[in-house]
């Protein structure tokens, strides 16, 4: 689909980049000041990565090796060898290698410089050589010494993946820019890239980005809405917003691929075989994550299977934009509407999960869904007044309710708060709860920190810092549904305070961090070590002794590596 991009739309992407970069600065605690142009340029990385790979903003810099980005964000010089970012899709067996180019001025004829193909060959050549070496022997410091630290780490990781026996990973080379025209890759250049191990070459330009996010195929559908269930809000003569419930069967009907099914407003045919119309969510800023990657989509399907009548209560609803609504027929208590050029801009995950449910049903899906309803917000869009892409962006970027927020009202957390208070300690269940009574106590433990302490004790100190959503998601029941959780938690908190105290007394020798405390707890609970000072000394010596295959990295990076955890287990004689 060809999209005619204007200078205004070029600016919209820049504004979105700046907003997402400001959001990153906020969540990462980075207080450095950046010019507006630099925000737009650096925010481009975050914008693309978050939409393509569903990575949290705080973690995105770990995947970016671009020299300018690392110099600006992390204060580190890095020779990127032509590849600016990478991502390993374990589930689908794909290694994505990205080259980014961002321009600040709109040019209708802009295009990537063809020399970018030779730029990326440096990284691809190095990766090919290191992959072959890794098949002969484990890569050494000597093998990686000529590369910058961060690039060397990525090359080592990818070479290790590709060198594994039976490895079937494919390499996808992706060029991303806000240029207007695509790069023309010649056949001999494709052959060269193939020899370097590249299986697929693609390019995102400004028109394709808009096609992915803001494309506008035109689809109409018909639906009957009960007069008593509709709330209307009139912004002006041209803009209206309507809120109303519809049955899931109607939702399936208006999103069906077949026009006859979208127009069949009665929808009484139980033999109907619906097929989802992908283009009806073109304006949705996120692609479907599936059930494996999203526990929320799995929950949607589970609700439809077990308690469809409660779906309306559990789901946040669907936002639909239309060019216009037309009343086709009026009844005594309802009206039949034609929705012109409808697009789902928020709730695409919900709709696709509904279709997943239908596909999985061996019995009659129609009967299963007849009692399920969902809330609809329908926005009539006048493109000169209300930008559909703004609605798509803002309705998808409001503050989500995290696993941590949801668990704060769990019964065990309330019991922990009461138990801690009875023992003269504060327990903070809720993030941002500044006026709570826990501030009256001399020492307070946050719920998130307790989860990390318990997770460390259970054998995962290397993961405790970076998997908070997992701790309060899939691992929650294992961690908190144990015998004597109240006593265990208080004992662990006292131990945590003792570790901090001991580190403070040894401050002339060692620098404290929570991550180190997680390891001390792990060692004290899983090895024969019982004294905190000796365990601190052992941990610090182990950190110093771990050479990361000769690649110099900060101690904080060592502590989150699985290789370091294995090295420590061997040193401490911990067998799992």
């Amino acid at each position: 689909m060809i999209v005619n991009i204007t200078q205004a739309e070029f600016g919209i992407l820049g504004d979105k980049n700046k907003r997402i970069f400001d959001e990153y600065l906020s969540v990462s605690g980075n207080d450095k000041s950046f010019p507006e142009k630099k925000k737009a340029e650096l925010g481009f990385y975050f914008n693309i990565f978050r939409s393509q790979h569903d990575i949290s903003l705080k973690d995105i810099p770990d995947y970016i090796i671009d020299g300018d980005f690392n110099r600006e964000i992390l204060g580190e010089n890095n020779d990127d060898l032509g590849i600016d970012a990478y991502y390993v899709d374990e589930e689908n067996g794909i290694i994505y290698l990205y080259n980014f180019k961002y321009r600040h001025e709109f040019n209708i004829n802009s295009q990537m410089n063809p020399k970018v193909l030779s730029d990326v060959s440096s990284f691809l050549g190095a990766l090919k050589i290191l992959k072959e070496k890794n098949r002969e022997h484990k890569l050494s410091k000597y093998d990686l010494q000529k590369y910058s630290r961060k690039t060397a780490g990525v090359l080592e990781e990818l070479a290790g993946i590709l060198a594994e026996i039976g490895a079937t990973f494919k390499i996808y080379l992706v060029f991303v820019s806000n240029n207007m025209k695509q790069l023309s890759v010649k056949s001999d250049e494709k052959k060269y890239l193939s020899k370097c191990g590249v299986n697929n070459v693609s390019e995102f330009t400004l028109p394709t980005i808009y096609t992915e996010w803001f494309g506008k195929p035109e689809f109409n559908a018909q639906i009957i809405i009960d007069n008593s269930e509709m709330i209307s809000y009139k912004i002006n003569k041209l803009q209206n917003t309507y809120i109303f419930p519809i049955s899931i069967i109607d939702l399936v009907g208006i999103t069906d691929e077949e026009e006859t099914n979208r127009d069949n407003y009665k929808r009484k045919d139980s033999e109907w075989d619906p097929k989802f119309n992908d283009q009806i969510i073109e304006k949705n800023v996120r692609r479907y994550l599936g059930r494996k990657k999203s526990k929320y989509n799995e929950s949607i399907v589970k609700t439809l299977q077990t308690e469809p009548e409660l779906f309306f209560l559990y789901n946040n609803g669907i936002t639909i934009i239309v060019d216009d609504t037309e009343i086709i027929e009026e009844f005594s208590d309802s009206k039949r509407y034609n929705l012109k050029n409808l697009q789902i801009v928020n709730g695409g995950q919900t709709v696709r999960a509904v279709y997943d449910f239908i596909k999985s049903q061996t019995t009659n899906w129609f009967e299963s869904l007849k009692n399920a309803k969902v809330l609809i917000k329908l926005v009539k869009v006048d493109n000169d007044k209300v930008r559909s892409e703004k609605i798509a962006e803002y309705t998808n970027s409001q503050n989500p309710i995290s696993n941590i927020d949801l668990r704060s009202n769990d019964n065990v957390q309330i019991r922990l708060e009461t138990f801690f208070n009875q023992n003269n300690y504060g327990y903070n269940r809720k993030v941002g709860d500044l006026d709570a009574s826990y501030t009256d106590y001399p020492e307070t433990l946050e719920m998130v920190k307790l989860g990390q302490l318990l997770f460390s004790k259970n054998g995962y100190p290397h993961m405790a810092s970076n998997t908070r959503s997992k701790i309060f998601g899939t691992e929650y029941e294992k961690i908190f549904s144990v015998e004597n959780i109240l006593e265990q938690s208080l004992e662990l908190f006292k131990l945590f305070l003792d570790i901090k105290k001991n580190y403070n007394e040894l401050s002339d020798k060692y620098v404290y961090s929570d991550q180190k405390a997680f390891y001390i707890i792990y060692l004290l609970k899983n090895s024969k070590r019982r004294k905190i000072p000796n365990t601190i000394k052992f941990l610090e010596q182990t950190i110093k002794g771990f050479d990361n295959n000769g690649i110099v990295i900060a101690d904080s990076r060592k502590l989150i590596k699985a290789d370091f955890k294995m090295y420590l287990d061997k040193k401490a004689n911990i067998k799992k």
Side-chain angles (χ1 to χ4, degrees):
M1 175 174 146
I2 298 173
V3 180
N4 295 318
I5 301 298
T6 66
Q7 185 166 357
E9 287 162 318
F10 176 89
I12 287 169
L13 179 62
D15 290 341
K16 181 179 172 71
N17 293 343
K18 285 185 275 190
R19 281 195 298 275
I20 202 171
F21 186 71
D22 282 335
E23 189 181 341
Y24 162 74
L25 293 177
S26 176
V27 300
S28 66
N30 189 330
D31 57 0
K32 184 178 177 181
S33 178
F34 292 87
E36 291 300 300
K37 280 190 173 182
K38 184 59 70 173
K39 284 184 180 181
E41 179 183 334
L42 297 173
F44 192 46
Y45 290 92
F46 292 93
N47 204 347
I48 296 296
F49 248 70
R50 187 160 76 169
S51 84
Q52 293 300 304
H53 298 300
D54 196 42
I55 302 169
S56 69
L57 284 179
K58 199 172 181 180
D59 293 336
I60 285 174
D62 292 343
Y63 298 88
I64 299 176
I65 60 175
D66 173 61
D68 183 57
F69 182 96
N70 280 275
R71 185 168 52 254
E72 293 285 349
I73 300 292
L74 304 175
E76 176 182 351
N77 291 321
N78 189 69
D79 183 358
D80 55 48
L81 302 181
I83 292 298
D84 298 320
Y86 80 107
Y87 180 78
V88 180
D89 184 344
E90 299 273 1
E91 184 175 356
N92 296 306
I94 299 172
I95 294 171
Y96 291 93
L97 299 178
Y98 288 92
N99 179 282
F100 284 84
K101 291 291 181 289
Y102 188 81
R103 64 183 303 110
H104 293 285
E105 302 298 329
F106 178 73
N107 184 335
I108 195 69
N109 295 311
S110 61
Q111 183 185 40
M112 263 194 176
N113 191 323
K115 73 181 278 291
V116 73
L117 292 167
S118 60
D119 290 344
V120 300
S121 65
S122 298
F123 186 96
L124 294 171
L127 181 58
K128 184 178 179 182
I129 292 170
L130 292 172
K131 178 187 72 174
E132 297 304 322
K133 284 187 176 181
N134 209 354
R135 284 176 175 165
E136 298 170 3
H137 62 267
K138 189 172 183 179
L139 294 179
S140 65
K141 180 179 179 181
Y142 176 78
D143 294 320
L144 297 161
Q145 64 180 353
K146 64 179 179 179
Y147 307 112
S148 297
R149 181 194 69 80
K150 199 166 185 180
T151 300
V154 174
L155 284 168
E156 181 187 23
E157 178 185 349
L158 299 185
I161 291 171
L162 294 169
E164 288 180 3
I165 297 174
T168 57
F169 273 82
K170 294 181 179 180
I171 296 177
Y172 282 20
L173 180 61
V174 186
F175 296 98
V176 186
S177 75
N178 61 338
N179 288 306
M180 289 296 293
K181 294 184 178 180
Q182 288 198 328
L183 184 69
S184 177
V185 183
K186 298 175 182 177
S187 58
D188 59 333
E189 291 169 331
K190 287 181 179 178
K191 287 180 182 177
Y192 172 75
L193 292 172
S194 180
K195 286 181 180 179
C196 290
V198 175
N199 302 97
N200 181 277
V201 181
S202 60
E203 183 179 5
F204 283 94
T205 56
L206 194 58
T208 53
I209 288 171
Y210 264 79
T211 300
E212 289 280 331
W213 295 347
F214 309 133
K216 190 183 178 184
E218 296 187 358
F219 297 103
N220 301 337
Q222 294 187 24
I223 189 171
I224 292 178
I225 304 172
D226 192 309
N227 295 335
S228 65
E229 293 184 331
M230 176 184 281
I231 299 174
S232 175
Y233 173 65
K234 194 167 188 176
I235 301 170
N236 52 47
K237 290 182 180 180
L238 296 174
Q239 268 82 51
N240 285 321
T241 298
Y242 307 94
I243 298 174
F244 52 89
I246 65 171
S247 71
I248 294 291
I249 289 172
D250 274 332
L251 177 65
V252 173
I254 65 174
T255 56
D256 196 290
E257 188 175 69
E258 293 293 329
E259 183 178 359
T260 52
N261 290 331
R262 293 199 304 274
D263 287 344
N264 182 15
Y265 60 92
K266 294 182 179 179
R267 301 191 177 100
K268 302 293 184 183
D269 185 2
S270 60
E271 298 301 316
W272 165 34
D273 182 22
K275 291 180 176 61
F276 181 64
N277 183 359
D278 281 298
Q279 292 180 300
I280 222 155
I281 57 170
E282 280 288 300
K283 287 182 181 288
N284 196 298
V285 296
R286 295 178 71 189
R287 61 186 179 181
Y288 185 51
L289 300 175
R291 290 162 65 181
K292 289 184 179 179
K293 287 187 177 181
S294 172
K295 60 181 177 296
Y296 303 109
N297 293 340
E298 182 63 37
S299 297
I300 288 170
V301 173
K302 187 176 180 181
T303 301
L304 291 172
Q305 288 171 338
T306 59
E307 42 189 2
E309 69 281 355
L310 297 181
F311 187 85
F312 184 87
L313 298 178
Y314 297 159
N315 189 267
N316 287 332
I318 313 286
T319 301
I320 297 175
I321 60 172
V322 294
D323 284 358
D324 199 4
T325 56
E326 176 189 5
I327 299 174
I328 296 177
E329 188 175 2
E330 294 193 41
F331 306 102
S332 60
D333 57 356
S334 61
K335 294 182 181 71
R336 175 158 64 101
Y337 293 85
N338 183 41
L339 309 180
K340 292 186 176 181
N341 302 342
L342 76 151
Q343 281 278 307
I344 291 175
V345 295
N346 183 274
Q349 302 291 322
T350 295
V351 182
R352 289 298 303 270
V354 168
Y355 275 83
D356 262 6
F357 167 78
I358 293 172
K359 190 176 179 180
S360 70
Q361 291 303 290
T362 55
T363 57
N364 190 341
W365 66 269
F366 196 93
E367 287 298 314
S368 300
L369 294 182
K370 67 181 183 181
N371 294 321
K373 289 194 173 187
V374 67
L375 186 68
I376 300 293
K377 179 166 78 171
L378 183 72
V379 183
K380 181 182 171 184
V381 175
D382 171 18
N383 287 325
D384 294 329
K385 300 275 186 181
V386 178
R387 300 201 67 91
S388 59
E389 60 266 33
K390 292 287 187 183
I391 298 171
E393 176 187 342
Y394 294 142
T395 57
N396 278 279
S397 60
Q398 294 171 15
N399 293 332
I401 299 174
S402 69
N403 284 337
I404 296 169
D405 296 324
L406 291 171
R407 299 296 187 184
S408 65
N409 287 324
D410 190 44
N411 182 52
V412 70
Q413 299 303 329
I414 295 171
R415 289 170 56 217
L416 279 163
E417 181 181 40
T418 302
F419 184 74
F420 268 63
N421 294 169
Q422 289 173 343
N423 286 275
N424 201 33
Y425 290 99
Y427 186 72
N428 180 8
R429 292 186 287 121
K430 297 188 177 182
V431 177
D433 194 7
L434 300 179
D435 298 323
S437 60
Y438 65 77
T439 55
D440 297 335
Y441 297 95
E443 297 288 352
T444 295
L445 177 63
E446 294 181 348
M447 181 182 76
V448 172
K449 188 73 70 189
L450 175 58
Q452 292 172 318
L453 297 178
L454 289 165
F455 201 46
S456 300
K457 180 182 77 71
N458 291 352
Y460 305 99
H462 57 304
M463 298 171 66
S465 293
N466 298 329
T467 55
R468 295 188 299 176
S469 61
K470 184 176 182 179
I471 292 170
F472 288 89
T474 56
E475 298 296 315
Y476 183 80
E477 296 300 328
K478 294 179 188 175
I479 294 171
F480 285 96
S481 295
V482 295
E483 191 176 354
N484 300 324
I485 185 62
L486 306 183
E487 293 81 1
Q488 269 194 57
S489 299
L490 185 57
E491 178 197 347
L492 210 52
F493 181 43
K494 290 179 179 178
L495 179 59
F496 177 64
L497 293 175
D498 281 344
I499 292 168
K500 292 177 74 172
K501 179 182 176 184
N502 275 266
Y503 255 107
N504 188 50
E505 292 171 354
L506 296 168
S507 59
D508 58 328
K509 294 182 180 180
Y510 309 122
V511 177
Y512 170 80
S513 72
D514 282 353
Q515 184 69 62
K516 289 180 179 179
F518 298 157
Y519 270 94
I520 298 298
I521 284 172
Y522 169 70
L523 287 166
L524 291 171
K525 295 295 182 181
N526 294 277
S527 72
K528 295 181 179 179
R529 299 178 182 278
R530 292 292 177 266
K531 293 185 178 180
I532 294 175
N534 292 342
T535 308
I536 290 175
K537 182 179 179 181
F538 171 78
L539 176 63
E540 295 290 344
Q541 289 174 342
T542 306
I543 294 170
K544 188 176 181 181
F546 180 70
D547 70 351
N548 192 42
N549 295 320
I551 301 172
V552 178
I553 58 174
D555 288 352
S556 58
R557 295 291 299 167
K558 291 181 181 180
L559 294 170
I560 61 173
K561 288 178 72 70
D563 286 352
F564 173 77
K565 166 69 165 38
M566 291 171 62
Y567 176 75
L568 178 132
D569 283 348
K570 187 174 180 180
K571 287 277 186 183
N573 197 29
I574 298 175
K575 297 178 181 179
K576 290 288 182 181

